[in-house]
Amino acid sequence: MGKLHNPWPVIRGVVSDLDGVVYRGKTPIDDAVKAFQTWKAEGIPFCFVTNNSTHTAEDVVSKLVSFGIDVTLDNVVTSAVTAAQLIRQRFPEGTRVFVIGAPSLKQAIAAANLEITEREPSVVVMGLDREITHEKMRIAVDAILKGALLIGTNPDLLLPTPTGFEPGAGAILTAVATAARVKPIIVGKPEVYMIEAALKRIGTDRSSTLMIGDQIPTDIQAGKKAGLCSVLVTTGVPPVEDATLLPPDFTIATLKEIPGVR
Ligand SMILES: [Mg+2]
């Protein structure tokens, strides 16, 4: 667009968002599939990071494999698994956790040897729960007021659906946090926990690692905060203009525009 910016770095690794970048809902985005196939063939390591806590990493792997991207569990970091890891960094095995969220979140918490219970929890974890009730929110607020730590998988307020929008995990998280007057720990983007987990997996240098995403408030902020080269691709949700947010290093219409991608 005639705008001056720095040249692309030498690309040694890629961290990427999924929805709006690799696929839209159930439909793969062809140029993105080809880009990840190129990187795979050239030995450039990549890892996907998703705020969505309602699918397991296994679900994500099968979806990507069905699109022709050769990945294993090592290539996927979810907010659910990252939340479980974060709890285990701060609390011992067997710690009582109250979970508001999808079965995939409960699975990640249980797999980290934490006890899921509504009885005197030390931690309340909240992800998107399409069966949210006032009773679940009451248990959460009461536990937090008695000292439990509040952790949210992601701050997304609104999610696109085939027919419009639905409230995201951040909307119910905000309700509980507001009632209990606490500031939750957020695991997902724009925070950097998942980016750090992804960098640990691929082992590349921050300045030669891309963070690709379709949302400035989450993907790009997380990438910039972690010191990655942040790339906005306009194949997902329409970008939000907000002067208070850090701008992406590059804005592209397709991953084909990234040097070396065929
Ligand atoms: Mg996205």
mmCIF file of all heavy atoms in Angstrom, residues 206-242:
data_model
loop_
_atom_site.group_PDB
_atom_site.id
_atom_site.type_symbol
_atom_site.label_atom_id
_atom_site.label_comp_id
_atom_site.label_asym_id
_atom_site.label_seq_id
_atom_site.Cartn_x
_atom_site.Cartn_y
_atom_site.Cartn_z
ATOM 1 N N ARG A 206 13.054 -15.411 18.748
ATOM 2 C CA ARG A 206 11.845 -14.592 18.625
ATOM 3 C C ARG A 206 11.817 -13.713 17.366
ATOM 4 O O ARG A 206 10.811 -13.616 16.686
ATOM 5 C CB ARG A 206 11.693 -13.688 19.853
ATOM 6 C CG ARG A 206 11.315 -14.456 21.084
ATOM 7 C CD ARG A 206 11.474 -13.661 22.347
ATOM 8 N NE ARG A 206 11.566 -14.605 23.455
ATOM 9 C CZ ARG A 206 10.521 -14.997 24.184
ATOM 10 N NH1 ARG A 206 9.332 -14.502 23.974
ATOM 11 N NH2 ARG A 206 10.671 -15.886 25.144
ATOM 12 N N SER A 207 12.963 -13.059 17.081
ATOM 13 C CA SER A 207 12.951 -12.081 15.985
ATOM 14 C C SER A 207 12.853 -12.754 14.612
ATOM 15 O O SER A 207 12.477 -12.122 13.635
ATOM 16 C CB SER A 207 14.203 -11.216 16.055
ATOM 17 O OG SER A 207 15.344 -12.026 15.949
ATOM 18 N N SER A 208 13.159 -14.060 14.533
ATOM 19 C CA SER A 208 12.999 -14.747 13.238
ATOM 20 C C SER A 208 11.809 -15.705 13.269
ATOM 21 O O SER A 208 11.724 -16.638 12.482
ATOM 22 C CB SER A 208 14.292 -15.468 12.861
ATOM 23 O OG SER A 208 14.761 -16.240 13.929
ATOM 24 N N THR A 209 10.881 -15.436 14.209
ATOM 25 C CA THR A 209 9.658 -16.246 14.283
ATOM 26 C C THR A 209 8.452 -15.360 13.999
ATOM 27 O O THR A 209 8.323 -14.278 14.576
ATOM 28 C CB THR A 209 9.518 -16.889 15.680
ATOM 29 O OG1 THR A 209 10.680 -17.664 15.947
ATOM 30 C CG2 THR A 209 8.279 -17.777 15.750
ATOM 31 N N LEU A 210 7.589 -15.825 13.102
ATOM 32 C CA LEU A 210 6.381 -15.067 12.786
ATOM 33 C C LEU A 210 5.271 -15.430 13.760
ATOM 34 O O LEU A 210 5.166 -16.574 14.179
ATOM 35 C CB LEU A 210 5.882 -15.406 11.367
ATOM 36 C CG LEU A 210 6.817 -15.203 10.185
ATOM 37 C CD1 LEU A 210 6.066 -15.530 8.879
ATOM 38 C CD2 LEU A 210 7.355 -13.774 10.147
ATOM 39 N N MET A 211 4.431 -14.445 14.104
ATOM 40 C CA MET A 211 3.156 -14.713 14.756
ATOM 41 C C MET A 211 2.089 -14.288 13.776
ATOM 42 O O MET A 211 1.952 -13.095 13.472
ATOM 43 C CB MET A 211 3.028 -13.913 16.067
ATOM 44 C CG MET A 211 1.625 -13.957 16.694
ATOM 45 S SD MET A 211 1.144 -15.600 17.258
ATOM 46 C CE MET A 211 -0.633 -15.585 16.902
ATOM 47 N N ILE A 212 1.361 -15.260 13.230
ATOM 48 C CA ILE A 212 0.343 -14.965 12.220
ATOM 49 C C ILE A 212 -1.044 -15.037 12.847
ATOM 50 O O ILE A 212 -1.354 -15.996 13.560
ATOM 51 C CB ILE A 212 0.417 -15.976 11.057
ATOM 52 C CG1 ILE A 212 1.831 -16.031 10.473
ATOM 53 C CG2 ILE A 212 -0.611 -15.632 9.973
ATOM 54 C CD1 ILE A 212 2.013 -17.141 9.443
ATOM 55 N N GLY A 213 -1.874 -14.022 12.582
ATOM 56 C CA GLY A 213 -3.229 -14.041 13.115
ATOM 57 C C GLY A 213 -4.150 -13.133 12.326
ATOM 58 O O GLY A 213 -3.691 -12.326 11.513
ATOM 59 N N ASP A 214 -5.456 -13.271 12.580
ATOM 60 C CA ASP A 214 -6.433 -12.435 11.863
ATOM 61 C C ASP A 214 -7.044 -11.377 12.781
ATOM 62 O O ASP A 214 -7.908 -10.616 12.333
ATOM 63 C CB ASP A 214 -7.536 -13.296 11.230
ATOM 64 C CG ASP A 214 -8.410 -13.976 12.261
ATOM 65 O OD1 ASP A 214 -7.853 -14.515 13.250
ATOM 66 O OD2 ASP A 214 -9.641 -13.967 12.101
ATOM 67 N N GLN A 215 -6.605 -11.312 14.048
ATOM 68 C CA GLN A 215 -7.202 -10.339 14.962
ATOM 69 C C GLN A 215 -6.132 -9.503 15.658
ATOM 70 O O GLN A 215 -5.278 -10.041 16.359
ATOM 71 C CB GLN A 215 -8.042 -11.062 16.018
ATOM 72 C CG GLN A 215 -9.169 -11.871 15.386
ATOM 73 C CD GLN A 215 -10.375 -11.996 16.289
ATOM 74 O OE1 GLN A 215 -10.808 -10.999 16.895
ATOM 75 N NE2 GLN A 215 -10.912 -13.178 16.390
ATOM 76 N N ILE A 216 -6.233 -8.185 15.493
ATOM 77 C CA ILE A 216 -5.257 -7.283 16.116
ATOM 78 C C ILE A 216 -5.358 -7.311 17.649
ATOM 79 O O ILE A 216 -4.337 -7.389 18.324
ATOM 80 C CB ILE A 216 -5.414 -5.840 15.563
ATOM 81 C CG1 ILE A 216 -5.053 -5.822 14.064
ATOM 82 C CG2 ILE A 216 -4.520 -4.863 16.334
ATOM 83 C CD1 ILE A 216 -5.263 -4.476 13.380
ATOM 84 N N PRO A 217 -6.578 -7.288 18.229
ATOM 85 C CA PRO A 217 -6.656 -7.221 19.701
ATOM 86 C C PRO A 217 -6.095 -8.464 20.412
ATOM 87 O O PRO A 217 -5.711 -8.366 21.577
ATOM 88 C CB PRO A 217 -8.158 -7.100 19.979
ATOM 89 C CG PRO A 217 -8.762 -6.660 18.687
ATOM 90 C CD PRO A 217 -7.908 -7.215 17.602
ATOM 91 N N THR A 218 -6.077 -9.601 19.771
ATOM 92 C CA THR A 218 -5.590 -10.821 20.440
ATOM 93 C C THR A 218 -4.271 -11.296 19.827
ATOM 94 O O THR A 218 -3.213 -11.198 20.437
ATOM 95 C CB THR A 218 -6.657 -11.941 20.370
ATOM 96 O OG1 THR A 218 -7.109 -12.076 19.023
ATOM 97 C CG2 THR A 218 -7.804 -11.644 21.289
ATOM 98 N N ASP A 219 -4.324 -11.801 18.587
ATOM 99 C CA ASP A 219 -3.137 -12.407 17.952
ATOM 100 C C ASP A 219 -1.956 -11.448 17.870
ATOM 101 O O ASP A 219 -0.826 -11.779 18.238
ATOM 102 C CB ASP A 219 -3.475 -12.851 16.519
ATOM 103 C CG ASP A 219 -4.645 -13.801 16.470
ATOM 104 O OD1 ASP A 219 -4.668 -14.737 17.282
ATOM 105 O OD2 ASP A 219 -5.530 -13.626 15.598
ATOM 106 N N ILE A 220 -2.212 -10.257 17.346
ATOM 107 C CA ILE A 220 -1.119 -9.313 17.085
ATOM 108 C C ILE A 220 -0.544 -8.776 18.397
ATOM 109 O O ILE A 220 0.675 -8.678 18.550
ATOM 110 C CB ILE A 220 -1.600 -8.166 16.153
ATOM 111 C CG1 ILE A 220 -2.075 -8.744 14.798
ATOM 112 C CG2 ILE A 220 -0.507 -7.112 15.952
ATOM 113 C CD1 ILE A 220 -1.054 -9.610 14.058
ATOM 114 N N GLN A 221 -1.442 -8.474 19.379
ATOM 115 C CA GLN A 221 -0.924 -7.981 20.670
ATOM 116 C C GLN A 221 -0.048 -9.038 21.331
ATOM 117 O O GLN A 221 1.026 -8.731 21.866
ATOM 118 C CB GLN A 221 -2.075 -7.589 21.620
ATOM 119 C CG GLN A 221 -3.000 -6.515 21.084
ATOM 120 C CD GLN A 221 -2.263 -5.339 20.473
ATOM 121 O OE1 GLN A 221 -1.592 -4.593 21.172
ATOM 122 N NE2 GLN A 221 -2.360 -5.164 19.168
ATOM 123 N N ALA A 222 -0.502 -10.288 21.309
ATOM 124 C CA ALA A 222 0.274 -11.377 21.939
ATOM 125 C C ALA A 222 1.623 -11.526 21.239
ATOM 126 O O ALA A 222 2.663 -11.647 21.890
ATOM 127 C CB ALA A 222 -0.508 -12.687 21.887
ATOM 128 N N GLY A 223 1.604 -11.493 19.911
ATOM 129 C CA GLY A 223 2.844 -11.651 19.147
ATOM 130 C C GLY A 223 3.826 -10.525 19.428
ATOM 131 O O GLY A 223 5.017 -10.754 19.649
ATOM 132 N N LYS A 224 3.319 -9.285 19.440
ATOM 133 C CA LYS A 224 4.183 -8.134 19.685
ATOM 134 C C LYS A 224 4.752 -8.181 21.110
ATOM 135 O O LYS A 224 5.927 -7.931 21.318
ATOM 136 C CB LYS A 224 3.401 -6.829 19.498
ATOM 137 C CG LYS A 224 2.907 -6.572 18.084
ATOM 138 C CD LYS A 224 4.024 -6.220 17.124
ATOM 139 C CE LYS A 224 4.523 -4.789 17.337
ATOM 140 N NZ LYS A 224 5.551 -4.462 16.313
ATOM 141 N N LYS A 225 3.885 -8.494 22.075
ATOM 142 C CA LYS A 225 4.337 -8.539 23.481
ATOM 143 C C LYS A 225 5.430 -9.582 23.675
ATOM 144 O O LYS A 225 6.316 -9.412 24.498
ATOM 145 C CB LYS A 225 3.159 -8.869 24.412
ATOM 146 C CG LYS A 225 2.310 -7.666 24.734
ATOM 147 C CD LYS A 225 1.448 -7.944 25.960
ATOM 148 C CE LYS A 225 -0.007 -8.106 25.567
ATOM 149 N NZ LYS A 225 -0.900 -8.447 26.673
ATOM 150 N N ALA A 226 5.334 -10.689 22.914
ATOM 151 C CA ALA A 226 6.324 -11.766 23.048
ATOM 152 C C ALA A 226 7.566 -11.509 22.202
ATOM 153 O O ALA A 226 8.501 -12.300 22.226
ATOM 154 C CB ALA A 226 5.685 -13.100 22.677
ATOM 155 N N GLY A 227 7.552 -10.418 21.406
ATOM 156 C CA GLY A 227 8.738 -10.066 20.622
ATOM 157 C C GLY A 227 8.860 -10.799 19.295
ATOM 158 O O GLY A 227 9.947 -10.888 18.722
ATOM 159 N N LEU A 228 7.729 -11.319 18.790
ATOM 160 C CA LEU A 228 7.745 -11.993 17.494
ATOM 161 C C LEU A 228 7.458 -10.997 16.376
ATOM 162 O O LEU A 228 6.987 -9.891 16.634
ATOM 163 C CB LEU A 228 6.687 -13.110 17.469
ATOM 164 C CG LEU A 228 7.087 -14.470 18.048
ATOM 165 C CD1 LEU A 228 7.623 -14.361 19.454
ATOM 166 C CD2 LEU A 228 5.919 -15.429 17.995
ATOM 167 N N CYS A 229 7.731 -11.401 15.140
ATOM 168 C CA CYS A 229 7.374 -10.586 13.986
ATOM 169 C C CYS A 229 5.903 -10.858 13.684
ATOM 170 O O CYS A 229 5.527 -11.969 13.307
ATOM 171 C CB CYS A 229 8.255 -10.968 12.795
ATOM 172 S SG CYS A 229 7.757 -10.138 11.281
ATOM 173 N N SER A 230 5.042 -9.859 13.889
ATOM 174 C CA SER A 230 3.593 -10.089 13.850
ATOM 175 C C SER A 230 2.993 -9.796 12.487
ATOM 176 O O SER A 230 3.195 -8.725 11.930
ATOM 177 C CB SER A 230 2.910 -9.218 14.901
ATOM 178 O OG SER A 230 3.454 -9.510 16.156
ATOM 179 N N VAL A 231 2.232 -10.770 11.989
ATOM 180 C CA VAL A 231 1.682 -10.689 10.644
ATOM 181 C C VAL A 231 0.163 -10.803 10.718
ATOM 182 O O VAL A 231 -0.374 -11.819 11.179
ATOM 183 C CB VAL A 231 2.236 -11.835 9.763
ATOM 184 C CG1 VAL A 231 1.676 -11.739 8.350
ATOM 185 C CG2 VAL A 231 3.766 -11.820 9.764
ATOM 186 N N LEU A 232 -0.524 -9.752 10.268
ATOM 187 C CA LEU A 232 -1.990 -9.777 10.208
ATOM 188 C C LEU A 232 -2.395 -10.264 8.830
ATOM 189 O O LEU A 232 -1.963 -9.713 7.816
ATOM 190 C CB LEU A 232 -2.555 -8.377 10.445
ATOM 191 C CG LEU A 232 -4.083 -8.266 10.395
ATOM 192 C CD1 LEU A 232 -4.712 -8.862 11.662
ATOM 193 C CD2 LEU A 232 -4.525 -6.812 10.243
ATOM 194 N N VAL A 233 -3.210 -11.313 8.767
ATOM 195 C CA VAL A 233 -3.728 -11.780 7.487
ATOM 196 C C VAL A 233 -5.234 -11.506 7.476
ATOM 197 O O VAL A 233 -5.929 -11.780 8.452
ATOM 198 C CB VAL A 233 -3.380 -13.266 7.225
ATOM 199 C CG1 VAL A 233 -3.971 -14.192 8.278
ATOM 200 C CG2 VAL A 233 -3.808 -13.699 5.818
ATOM 201 N N THR A 234 -5.698 -10.907 6.403
ATOM 202 C CA THR A 234 -7.074 -10.396 6.397
ATOM 203 C C THR A 234 -8.075 -11.407 5.840
ATOM 204 O O THR A 234 -9.025 -11.049 5.158
ATOM 205 C CB THR A 234 -7.142 -9.079 5.601
ATOM 206 O OG1 THR A 234 -6.615 -9.325 4.283
ATOM 207 C CG2 THR A 234 -6.333 -7.989 6.260
ATOM 208 N N THR A 235 -7.843 -12.689 6.182
ATOM 209 C CA THR A 235 -8.766 -13.731 5.711
ATOM 210 C C THR A 235 -9.819 -14.082 6.759
ATOM 211 O O THR A 235 -10.663 -14.939 6.525
ATOM 212 C CB THR A 235 -7.978 -15.018 5.367
ATOM 213 O OG1 THR A 235 -7.020 -15.282 6.417
ATOM 214 C CG2 THR A 235 -7.243 -14.887 4.062
ATOM 215 N N GLY A 236 -9.745 -13.452 7.929
ATOM 216 C CA GLY A 236 -10.667 -13.816 9.007
ATOM 217 C C GLY A 236 -11.669 -12.736 9.302
ATOM 218 O O GLY A 236 -12.281 -12.178 8.394
ATOM 219 N N VAL A 237 -11.825 -12.423 10.609
ATOM 220 C CA VAL A 237 -12.782 -11.389 10.991
ATOM 221 C C VAL A 237 -12.300 -10.036 10.470
ATOM 222 O O VAL A 237 -11.099 -9.809 10.365
ATOM 223 C CB VAL A 237 -12.957 -11.311 12.528
ATOM 224 C CG1 VAL A 237 -13.478 -12.616 13.086
ATOM 225 C CG2 VAL A 237 -11.663 -10.906 13.215
ATOM 226 N N PRO A 238 -13.221 -9.115 10.135
ATOM 227 C CA PRO A 238 -12.794 -7.803 9.665
ATOM 228 C C PRO A 238 -11.937 -7.129 10.746
ATOM 229 O O PRO A 238 -12.336 -7.119 11.901
ATOM 230 C CB PRO A 238 -14.104 -7.046 9.458
ATOM 231 C CG PRO A 238 -15.166 -8.085 9.420
ATOM 232 C CD PRO A 238 -14.672 -9.251 10.216
ATOM 233 N N PRO A 239 -10.747 -6.602 10.394
ATOM 234 C CA PRO A 239 -9.869 -6.039 11.419
ATOM 235 C C PRO A 239 -10.459 -4.821 12.119
ATOM 236 O O PRO A 239 -11.146 -4.014 11.501
ATOM 237 C CB PRO A 239 -8.596 -5.662 10.654
ATOM 238 C CG PRO A 239 -8.826 -5.969 9.237
ATOM 239 C CD PRO A 239 -10.187 -6.557 9.056
ATOM 240 N N VAL A 240 -10.215 -4.737 13.425
ATOM 241 C CA VAL A 240 -10.676 -3.617 14.241
ATOM 242 C C VAL A 240 -9.582 -2.549 14.247
ATOM 243 O O VAL A 240 -8.427 -2.858 14.490
ATOM 244 C CB VAL A 240 -10.893 -4.089 15.705
ATOM 245 C CG1 VAL A 240 -11.386 -2.951 16.587
ATOM 246 C CG2 VAL A 240 -11.824 -5.275 15.758
ATOM 247 N N GLU A 241 -9.925 -1.314 13.963
ATOM 248 C CA GLU A 241 -8.958 -0.217 14.057
ATOM 249 C C GLU A 241 -9.031 0.351 15.461
ATOM 250 O O GLU A 241 -10.095 0.745 15.920
ATOM 251 C CB GLU A 241 -9.295 0.886 13.038
ATOM 252 C CG GLU A 241 -9.066 0.503 11.584
ATOM 253 C CD GLU A 241 -7.584 0.320 11.213
ATOM 254 O OE1 GLU A 241 -6.721 0.912 11.895
ATOM 255 O OE2 GLU A 241 -7.316 -0.416 10.246
ATOM 256 N N ASP A 242 -7.929 0.345 16.179
ATOM 257 C CA ASP A 242 -7.899 0.876 17.535
ATOM 258 C C ASP A 242 -6.504 1.428 17.789
ATOM 259 O O ASP A 242 -5.521 0.692 17.840
ATOM 260 C CB ASP A 242 -8.233 -0.248 18.526
ATOM 261 C CG ASP A 242 -8.321 0.270 19.968
ATOM 262 O OD1 ASP A 242 -7.725 1.323 20.275
ATOM 263 O OD2 ASP A 242 -8.989 -0.385 20.775
#
